[in-house]
């Protein structure tokens, strides 16, 4: 297991590799969208075709769950989330940045005891390979979706918890609470397993 540099700020500990991975992923998404949406034309070229395919894909997914006018309101949120997760997942598989530490680095949380186990320091990993990130993303989506439902129709939102029968209220609540946990764990486990070295490989 490679060492992970960490920094402390205001009593909290931050994973440097996670911060680098998140910033790089976000910058790549911004650059990708910028490049794919330049010089749009009625007859799309290769770059425009790629972006239109992504847009159609996301529109299709949101359209399956919401009406057309309703899905358009949340399209940018869905597109941004999809591209960030996609880029972060791919980077975690294809990019590996490590270095050797020749001595303790207290400012990064690397001690002499750590170096006795390994001197390899990891400087990049997929943000989605850290369960804190996937839980935070799932939690944000959970809160956003319920806020949107309440804002649209408070009474209609509350009614769906007692349909088709009132006694199903506990079941609906358990279902809603479990969604962010299962989504976060599934994404994290898939990426973490893909990035973790195989102990049986030669």
């Amino acid at each position: 297991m490679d060492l992970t540099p960490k920094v402390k700020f205001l009593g909290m500990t931050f994973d440097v590799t996670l911060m680098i991975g998140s910033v790089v992923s976000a910058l790549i998404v911004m650059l990708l969208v910028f490049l794919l949406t330049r010089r749009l034309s009625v007859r799309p070229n290769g770059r425009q075709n790629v972006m239109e395919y992504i847009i159609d894909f996301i529109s299709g997914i949101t359209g399956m769950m919401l009406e057309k006018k309703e899905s358009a309101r949340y399209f940018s949120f869905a597109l941004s989330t999809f591209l960030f997760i996609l880029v972060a997942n791919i980077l975690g598989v294809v990019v590996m940045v490590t270095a050797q530490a020749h001595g303790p680095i207290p400012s990064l949380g690397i001690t002499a005891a750590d170096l006795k186990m390994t001197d390899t320091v990891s400087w990049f990993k997929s943000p989605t390979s850290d369960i804190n990130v996937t839980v935070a993303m799932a939690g944000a989506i959970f809160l956003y979706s319920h806020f949107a439902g309440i804002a649209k129709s408070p009474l209609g939102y509350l009614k769906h918890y007692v349909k088709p029968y009132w006694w199903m209220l506990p079941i609906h609540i358990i279902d809603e609470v479990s969604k962010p946990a299962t989504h976060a764990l599934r994404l994290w486990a898939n990426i973490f397993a893909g990035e973790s070295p195989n102990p049986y490989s030669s």
Side-chain angles (χ1 to χ4, degrees):
M1 180 69 71
D2 295 343
L3 299 176
T4 302
K6 295 178 172 65
V7 294
K8 291 186 177 181
F9 182 71
L10 298 178
M12 297 180 289
T13 302
F14 296 89
D15 187 331
V16 175
T17 59
L18 185 60
M19 295 165 61
I20 294 173
S22 299
V23 171
V24 171
S25 298
L27 290 176
I28 290 178
V29 169
M30 293 175 60
L31 180 62
L32 182 66
V33 172
F34 177 81
L35 293 177
L36 294 180
T37 56
R38 296 305 92 192
R39 298 179 182 178
L40 300 178
S41 63
V42 178
R43 293 184 177 181
N45 54 24
R47 291 180 302 171
Q48 187 174 334
N49 281 331
V50 172
M51 195 63 203
E52 288 185 2
Y53 174 79
I54 295 173
I55 290 173
D56 288 341
F57 176 72
I58 301 299
S59 297
I61 293 176
T62 56
M64 291 170 60
M65 298 175 286
L66 301 168
E67 296 179 1
K68 187 174 182 179
K69 290 184 178 180
E70 195 69 21
S71 64
R73 295 177 58 186
Y74 308 107
F75 175 78
S76 59
F77 178 78
L79 178 64
S80 302
T81 304
F82 170 80
L83 288 177
F84 178 81
I85 293 175
L86 177 65
V87 171
N89 292 355
I90 293 175
L91 286 178
V93 175
V94 300
V95 178
M96 298 289 290
V97 181
T98 59
Q100 284 187 320
H102 300 287
I105 312 176
S107 60
L108 296 178
I110 299 175
T111 64
D114 294 328
L115 294 176
K116 291 180 180 179
M117 296 183 292
T118 179
D119 62 351
T120 303
V121 181
S122 175
W123 285 100
F124 186 91
K125 69 178 179 180
S126 169
T128 48
S129 68
D130 189 293
I131 194 169
N132 295 301
V133 174
T134 58
V135 168
M137 292 181 66
I141 293 172
F142 172 81
L143 294 175
Y144 179 73
S145 62
H146 287 282
F147 174 78
I150 295 172
K152 179 184 177 183
S153 175
L155 185 60
Y157 170 81
L158 294 174
K159 277 185 176 180
H160 94 276
Y161 282 100
V162 293
K163 290 183 178 180
Y165 307 105
W166 66 267
W167 51 264
M168 295 189 69
L169 175 63
I171 298 175
H172 284 302
I173 293 176
I174 293 172
D175 178 56
E176 290 296 331
V177 172
S178 65
K179 281 179 182 177
T182 55
H183 292 169
L185 288 172
R186 185 166 55 186
L187 175 59
W188 165 76
N190 287 336
I191 306 306
F192 180 77
E195 289 192 6
S196 298
N198 182 359
Y200 301 104
S201 63
S202 56

